Amino acid sequence: MKRTFLLAAAAASLFPLAASAQQVSSGPVVAAGNTLLSIAAEGKSARAPDLAVFNAGVTTQAKTAGAALSENADRMNAVIAALKKAGIAERDIQTSNLSVNPVYGQPRRLPDGSFEQQDPVIIGYQATNQVSVRQRKLDQYGKVIDTLVAAGANQVHGPSFQIDSPDGAMDEARIEAMKKARARADLYAKAAGLRVVRILSISENAGWAPPQPPIVFARAEMMSAPKAPSPVAAGELEMTVTVNVSYELAP
C-alpha cells in the first residue's frame, strides 16, 4: 500500500509540469521539412495636411504676482477673442499652460570679475498663459497669426501640421507594405527553389513624418501685424507603415 501511494503521488506531481510545458510557445510552427521566412517591408502614402496645431499666448511681468496675472488676463482675453473672431471654433482652443513664476535679479559683478555670492533676490513676477489652437483653414493660418500678434500675443509657437482623419492614407500604406512583403517572399522562395505556402504572422509599426520642423513666430517686441500675411508652406505629410510578416515556405 505504501508503494502504491508513492507512485500515485509521483504521477500527480508530473501533471502540472506537462500542462505548463504545453502552454509554452516558441513562435510560428512550420511543418516538418518546410522553412520559416521573416520579411520586413515598408509602405508609404502622402497627403497634404488639413490641420495646423500651434500654441499662442501672452507673457507679462510686474512687481507683484497679482499685478502680472491681472495684466496677463486682460491681454489673454483679447487674444482669445481675436482667435474666435478669426473663425477658430471654441472647441479648437484649449489652455495648455497657465503659470506664475518669480523673476530673480542678477548677482552684482565684483571688480575682479567674479560675482557676489548672495541669496537670489526676487525683483518681480512673470505670468504666462498659453492656448493650444487647431487651425482648420490652412490658407488663413498666416493671417490668424498676424491677427494674434496685433491683439497682444507675444508667444506664438508652431505649426505642427497634421491630418484630421489619417485612416485612409494609413490603409494605403499598409496595402503597399503587404504587397512589397509578398513580392519579396516570392523572390526569396523562387531563389531558394521553394514556394510560399501561407502567412504565419503579421505585425506593424506605423507613423507619419512632418514636412519641416516647427516654426517660431512672434516675440514681445512684435506687437503690430505686418502689412502682408506671414507666409506659411504646409507641404505634405508622409505616412509610413512597416509590416513584419512571417511566411512558411515549402518545396
Side-chain angles (χ1 to χ4, degrees):
M1 290 296 294
K2 183 176 181 181
R3 182 179 180 184
T4 302
F5 175 78
L6 291 175
L7 289 174
S13 68
L14 291 175
F15 290 139
L17 293 176
S20 173
Q22 290 175 1
Q23 294 175 1
V24 176
S25 175
S26 58
V29 178
V30 300
N34 289 354
T35 301
L36 173 65
L37 173 66
S38 297
I39 296 289
E42 184 179 80
K44 297 180 180 180
S45 65
R47 289 287 191 282
D50 56 12
L51 189 66
V53 179
F54 65 95
N55 288 327
V58 175
T59 295
T60 54
Q61 188 170 322
K63 290 291 185 182
T64 66
L69 196 57
S70 178
E71 180 187 352
N72 189 284
D74 291 339
R75 290 173 58 180
M76 195 60 193
N77 283 331
V79 168
I80 292 176
L83 282 169
K84 294 179 178 179
K85 188 176 180 180
I88 306 298
E90 189 169 349
R91 66 189 176 96
D92 290 330
I93 305 172
Q94 185 179 54
T95 298
S96 59
N97 178 32
L98 177 57
S99 60
V100 180
N101 295 293
V103 177
Y104 296 96
Q106 296 296 321
R108 186 169 63 90
R109 183 183 290 273
L110 300 175
D112 62 0
S114 63
F115 290 95
E116 183 179 12
Q117 298 297 319
Q118 61 180 16
D119 293 334
V121 177
I122 296 175
I123 61 173
Y125 290 86
Q126 186 178 79
T128 298
N129 192 338
Q130 292 181 327
V131 290
S132 176
V133 183
R134 291 184 291 182
Q135 171 72 47
R136 299 180 185 277
K137 297 179 180 179
L138 298 190
D139 59 338
Q140 298 293 310
Y141 180 79
K143 184 178 179 180
V144 169
I145 295 299
D146 298 338
T147 300
L148 291 180
V149 174
N154 57 14
Q155 295 282 325
V156 184
H157 305 276
S160 170
F161 289 112
Q162 300 178 11
I163 296 177
D164 195 24
S165 300
D167 290 347
M170 295 298 293
D171 286 345
E172 283 184 16
R174 291 183 177 103
I175 292 172
E176 181 185 348
M178 286 300 297
K179 287 180 178 179
K180 285 184 177 180
R182 180 53 193 253
R184 201 167 296 167
D186 288 336
L187 177 66
Y188 278 112
K190 184 178 180 180
L194 302 172
R195 59 185 174 85
V196 176
V197 176
R198 60 173 177 147
I199 293 176
L200 298 173
S201 66
I202 303 173
S203 63
E204 77 162 42
N205 297 312
W208 65 42
Q212 70 280 311
I215 306 167
V216 179
F217 297 91
R219 299 307 302 174
E221 64 272 11
M222 296 172 60
M223 297 306 298
S224 60
K227 294 181 180 180
S230 298
V232 177
E236 280 190 340
L237 291 175
E238 188 176 77
M239 313 288 148
T240 303
V241 172
T242 299
V243 294
N244 300 286
V245 189
S246 294
Y247 297 91
E248 181 176 359
L249 307 184

